[in-house]
Amino acid sequence: MSGTNSPEAVKKLLENMQSDLRALSLECRKKFPPVKEAAESGIIKVKTIAARNTEILAALKENSSEVVQPFLMGCGTKEPKITQLCLAAIQRLMSHEVVSETAAGNIINMLWQLMENSLEELKLLQTVLVLLTTSTVVHDEALSKAIVLCFRLHFTKDNITNNTAAATVRQVVTVVFERMVAEDERHRDIVEQPVLVQANSNRRSVSTLRPCAKDAYMLFQDLCQLVNADAPYWLVGMTEMTRTFGLELLESVLNDFPQVFLQHQEFSFLLKERVCPLVIKLFSPNIKFRQGSSASSSPAPVEKPYFPICMRLLRVVSVLIKQFYSLLVTECEIFLSLLVKFLDADKPQWLRAVAVESIHRLCVQPQLLRSFCQSYDMKQHSTKVFRDIVNALGSFIQSLFLVPPTGNTAAANQAGNNNVGGPVSAPASTGMLGIGGGVTLLPAFEYRGTWIPILTITVQGSAKATYLEMLDKVEPPTIPEGYAMSVAFHCLLDLVRGITSMIEGELGEVETECQTTTEAASSPTQSSEQQELQSTSDQLDTEIVSRAVWEEMVNACWCGLLAALSLLLDASTDEAATENILKAELTMAALCGRLGLVTSRDAFITAICKGSLPPHYALTVLNATTAATLSSKSYSIQGQSVMMISPSSESHQQVVAVGQPLAVQPQGTVMLTSKNIQCMRTLLNLAHCHGAVLGTSWQLVLATLQVLTTAVMTDLPVISNILSRLFESSQYLDDVSLHHLINALCSLSLEAMDMAYGNNKEPSLFAVAKLLETGLVNMHRIEILWRPLTGHLLEVCQHPNSRMREWGAEALTSLIKAGLTFNHDPPLSQNQRLQLLLLNPLKEMSSINHPDIRLKQLECVLQILQSQGDSLGPGWPLALGVMGAIRNDQGESLIRTAFQCLQLVVTDFLPTMPCTCLQIVVDVAGSFGLHNQELNISLTSIGLLWNISDYFFQRGEIIEKELNKEEAAQQKQAEEKGVVLNRPFHPAPPFDCLWLCLYAKLGELCVDPRPAVRKSAGQTLFSTIGAHGTLLQHSTWHTVIWKVLFHLLDRVRESSTTADKEKIESGGGNILIHHSRDTAEKQWAETWVLTLAGVARIFNTRRYLLQPLGDFSRAWDVLLDHIQSAALSKNNEVSLAALKSFQEILQIVSPVRDSDKPETPPAVNVPVPVLIGSISGPGLSRPFVRTDSIGERLGRYSSSEPPIVTDELEDLNLWWAAWNTWYRIGSESTKPPITFDKLTFIPSQPFLTALIQIFPALYQHIKTGFNMDDLQKLGVILHSAVSVPISSDASPFILPSYTEAVLTSLQEAVLTALDVLQKAICIGPENMQIMYPAIFDQLLAFVEFSCKPPQYGQLETKHIANAKYNQIQLFAPAEWVALNYVPFAERSLEVVVDLYQKTACHKAVVNEKVLQNIIKTLRVPLSLKYSCPSESTWKLAVSSLLKVLSIGLPVARQHASSGKFDSMWPELASTFEDFLFTKSIPPDNLSIQEFQRNESIDVEVVQLISTEILPYANFIPKEFVGQIMTMLNKGSIHSQSSSFTEAEIDIRLREEFSKMCFETLLQFSFSNKVTTPQEGYISRMALSVLLKRSQDVLHRYIEDERLSGKCPLPRQQVTEIIFVLKAVSTLIDSLKKTQPENVDGNTWAQVIALYPTLVECITCSSSEVCSALKEALVPFKDFMQPPASKVQNGES
């Protein structure tokens, strides 16, 4: 007030006062003298005061009652002019604050009177106002009177006065409260003891309040009373009052002076106890009222809501909530619930509009909303107020679409026929729509025909109400269409904006604080640490609390928001509105994402996604997710079920993009509207800016983008640009978010895969392409996403749809290649784990069967090899594994590509890879050998194995060193872990293991089903072992023999024996197969041959290495066993080859013993080829030379290990094992089968020959222990071997024609064997010689073959030894042909004779009756004679018999006494008998010369008897002599063959023979040497028998002749008589030659007695008989002598 205190102002005041008084006295001069006087005294008083006091104003105030008096009196005159003058003067005094309390009271009383008289009403109001505003002197009763005065003036008839009074009241009320505030301000620094107010204290207890506060309290209390239509306590004198004005006043106080109520308990009490109940009471008509319900529905008539009160109540409520929420928690809950109710569809439209405006006011105060949430929604039994508000807004918006607003008459008419609340089915009136192309002109919402314009009502973020401000309106206003909707819409937007900015701000603070505290906490200072930790934990607690609030807020509002926003989005036809809605949805989604509220986040995103898609576009991912997250697609809002709005088909949107739909969609094209595009932009924006919080909802986003990319990529380059940037920006996401993105892409891709099943449409490759992009841009941290990324792509690679697969593989291989070429930190060469990780999916691809994928995989490997081959390092096993994983059934091109990779590796990369991988290379190369798709690949891979072995050989030392180092490391690791080191062929050294793996692989290939592969592998295997075997450690040979070679032999044997015998027609294509290979069995035979030969060769050439190994003899046995089973296989090729291998291993010379060694150090021994006794025989005619002696052993064993000498005994065991094998082969192979049919196997001649040819060599080694049993065994085999027949088709090549007496090679071999044996016996010790008889037996058995070819079991053979044929009939019906055994038997016979000549005197030969056996054997051919298969046989037999006897008989005589030859004699007798009197008939074609030659042989025999036997009759058993005599006797009578022609008969009667017999007989019979009478008797007997028989024959002949008449007699009889006649003549001749003294007289008598009979025969008719008779009669002339002397002689 400095202006009124200055001296100038005071001076002016005094002047004015005086002039006022003067004016007053002037005016009242006539009418009102008392006033005039008072005025004049007043002037004097003023002057006096001014003169006396320095503080003029204070003095004035002190005397103010007196100073004011004149003016008050002036007012009392009720004269307008005077009153106005007085009031102006009083006001001037007031404005200078010179009115005392008393004066003020007087003034107010005076004003009251004026008021009651209705004078100068406006001036009154002005005066009151000045009085109250300039000073605080008026209070308590005076104040209340002043206020009442203003109120009274408000209710006058004059409008101007009313309004002025209203304004004055408002100002006065404000002043009262401002004073209180000032008073508080003054007392603020004075600390008082607050007086506790009792909770139930009386409303009048204001004793605690200071004066101004008390006034304010009383005023506020009375305002409440007045609004409540009760009598005021303090404002005495009120006559009338309106509620509307009262409410306005309450509102202004509450709004302007909240601190008063918050700081003073008394006021708080008023709020709680008076204001709130009042508000609630006044609201009641609005709550109960329902629009459209009839009066009858309730018994009492319902009071209608009254707009002015209702609207003011809402304003009060807004203030209460805004300012005193913390005081009135419970009351606010009621108010808010009421607000929500006012939005109901059955409330009047204006009520809903003001309610929505009130709610808007709340929505722009996020902190307030937060408080609601904390106080209600988060409390257990409280109403969920915040949620209800949001839901109510949603419901409200929805109801506006469903129920036409009453303000809109057109719509109301349409809705007339519908139930209230039902959807409007009638189409929107065309007036609402624009004209062009269905695009609305106004921004509006349109949904199912309901069109609602959008009005611009407020600036974002401020709640500027329209109807809450209509304080002058009494009638409810008409609400323009769209107003309520627009406000509600803004409520939503502001709500979202407020909540999100608030929460995100707080979140940001928390995050930065966390960072700073963690940084601080990690600082090393000890002292601050604990306090830091403490603060951290506090922060955590507060954060947890705040987070709970944030989450609750979001959880409470998201459902309602989403339902409302979705509906609005769908209905929006205005781009700006759409943008706002989308922005709200986006910010909510991002917020939910940041808070980790997955369900709500996904729901918002789903909404945006749905908006991006055309209507009815079925996107499974959206439906599925929504269903999963929301359990059903409807959210419940205020008990109503609100369906998620799906886009309405009638949306009037221009189509801006057209594209192809995804495979799953039925419709032909995808139509996108501009709204779809807008949504899509939002979606992209969301993904771009908030990718980090999307988490699992990436799936929704991507699923939608996928649909859109297919549709719009071409049409909208901008969007496609953003899309590609989106995936580029994934490099800025944190790891977790990146994982979510990858997972979503994977799920999306899985969907695409599902759709592509059984669908021939183009599949969606969006996800796969984006996975690839994401992988490529995140290559710097590829490790964290590699597994899920590649894992999924591998699944894509397995898809049946080829296009899908192809993309999967393309993406996967691109990623792998990119990963390997990327410049990682640290580089891959130092980060092996990462390298393996990157390569791993390549390996995984191997489990996929689709050839196109495998081709991609292999091409990738090829490219990696070409670009990174040198640096693959630990990745080699993977790369090789991929090549090796190609299976047989995977097609030629795949195998070829894989093989190409392998070839590249073998040619270029072997030196660069770790040596530990070499074994894998071997395995892989081997596996290609086993592929049967392409023969060339198999063969080439065997070549590769050879190259690899060569590489091992050349770099052996380096490889060995590296492998040993590796081995040591692994061993150490294994020991640490406590496990055993496990690798193949352990414990051989690692380098040897490598070789063994190579051998083992080749071994597997040796049993491949294809012959060419087996052959090639076999040759390679044996070449490799041959060429490089010297590198192996000595001990490893053990493994080579047992695990490689014998294992291989076992498998080959097994396959060969089970191979198919079916004929193979052709070798595929036009390849012809030779008949020797036209069955699987024959092809396997070749393999068996090759393998066995290879192993045998190794045993032969590496004997010096193998023999020192501990179990050589066991290995030898196994080898022999294999040789045996091969030899006994039913295949000529195999069996013969087995024997060749047998021969080969028998060539081994035993090692030189020390004593025989030259005196040179062992290392320098010059290799001397050792010649081994050669074996003749097919294919074995060359001598074997051993060259690989010590020279080859230099290598590893040079100085350290001289060859170990095996002891003699072990060597011998080996040879005996060989002998046993030989015996088993022999006995098994030659044993005849039990039954025969077409398929019976009979060993071939070459086989048998080879078998027998082995014996001599073998025998050299075992002769020392060779005993009788062994000989027996040998004999059996030789015998059986010779007995085997030949098949008829082979015979022309083996059998000599019958005329050539040639032996087959088999027979040669058999004889050779026996020859070797007998020579050995010959020079051998005494005990060996007992074997002679056995050899004889054997040979004699062969001799028998000449007449009785051996039987081979039950086999029927065709004998070719038929004398009539020289040539074999090739197509004989018999399958088998027995050999021509004659030459063999004959040769054997020669050998026997030869041998006997040498050994006749030998004890064993004598004891074992060899001679008897020879005779017994010869008896057979001799007795057959002409029936012998070959004529030469019996002739040889005779000559042999003669030779043998010439040697043997003397021996026999020598041993006569011992009886060892006793049994021989009868045998000999029988032999002579059978030969000389053979039953066989000479052949018809026998020439005379032949016959004579044969006869001379018979004669020779008789001569032998006469020279060698008869002279020694004394030493010979009597019976034998008797038998000889009888024989001679028989021979002396002509015996003849009955087959002769008559012409030849004279020659054919063996005259010479008969003569010889007679002569011998006679010579012996009548020899004077007869020692015993018995002998003589025998000879005489013999003669008499002969003569007697002659007599009989002649008699019978004569008889028959007589009876037969003219008929000729039978041929035999004629022959017989001729014979007898010749015998007689011969006998007589013989008798003449014999010395007379030897002839018995009796004999003569018998001879002469024949004569008459002979004479009788003369009558016969046969000329032959006659001529014979003539010859018989002629000798009788010698008997024509004088009888006397003859008698004399006879007697003497």
Side-chain angles (χ1 to χ4, degrees), residues 794 797-798 805 844-850 853-854 890:
L794 282 166
C797 292
Q798 298 175 45
R805 278 205 300 275
E844 302 287 328
M845 285 173 90
S846 302
S847 59
I848 298 171
N849 286 334
H850 298 291
I853 300 301
R854 299 301 284 280
Q890 281 171 327

Side-chain angles (χ1 to χ4, degrees), residues 1485-1494 1543-1544 1547-1548:
N1485 58 359
L1486 198 62
S1487 66
I1488 294 172
Q1489 292 78 17
E1490 261 315 299
F1491 186 81
Q1492 286 169 340
R1493 279 203 288 282
N1494 291 355
E1544 298 167 320
I1547 311 160
R1548 294 290 165 87

Side-chain angles (χ1 to χ4, degrees), residues 279-400:
V279 171
I280 291 165
K281 174 184 162 193
L282 292 179
F283 262 142
S284 80
N286 306 301
I287 300 166
K288 292 176 184 153
F289 180 76
R290 293 214 179 289
Q291 196 174 18
S293 58
S294 62
S296 63
S297 63
S298 60
V302 178
E303 192 185 342
K304 245 186 154 183
Y306 181 52
F307 171 72
I309 290 182
C310 188
M311 177 258 287
R312 287 167 175 76
L313 279 174
L314 286 174
R315 290 172 63 102
V316 172
V317 166
S318 295
V319 175
L320 285 175
I321 293 172
K322 181 177 179 182
Q323 306 287 14
F324 309 111
Y325 172 74
S326 51
L327 281 180
L328 307 172
V329 177
T330 318
E331 290 80 354
C332 286
E333 185 177 344
I334 298 167
F335 298 152
L336 290 165
S337 304
L338 287 175
L339 265 183
V340 166
K341 282 219 178 66
F342 291 165
L343 290 179
D344 284 357
D346 51 12
K347 296 282 181 276
Q349 204 60 35
W350 58 264
L351 179 54
R352 298 174 81 189
V354 284
V356 95
E357 285 185 343
S358 310
I359 288 177
H360 192 189
R361 289 186 165 177
L362 304 177
C363 289
V364 293
Q365 305 174 58
Q367 291 296 344
L368 185 61
L369 294 173
R370 175 204 188 111
S371 312
F372 294 165
C373 190
Q374 272 175 294
S375 307
Y376 310 127
D377 295 60
M378 290 177 78
K379 295 279 182 291
Q380 212 171 1
H381 299 297
S382 170
T383 320
K384 304 276 182 268
V385 174
F386 178 51
R387 190 178 63 195
D388 291 349
I389 292 173
V390 181
N391 289 352
L393 280 169
S395 269
F396 178 64
I397 288 174
Q398 200 164 0
S399 71
L400 289 178

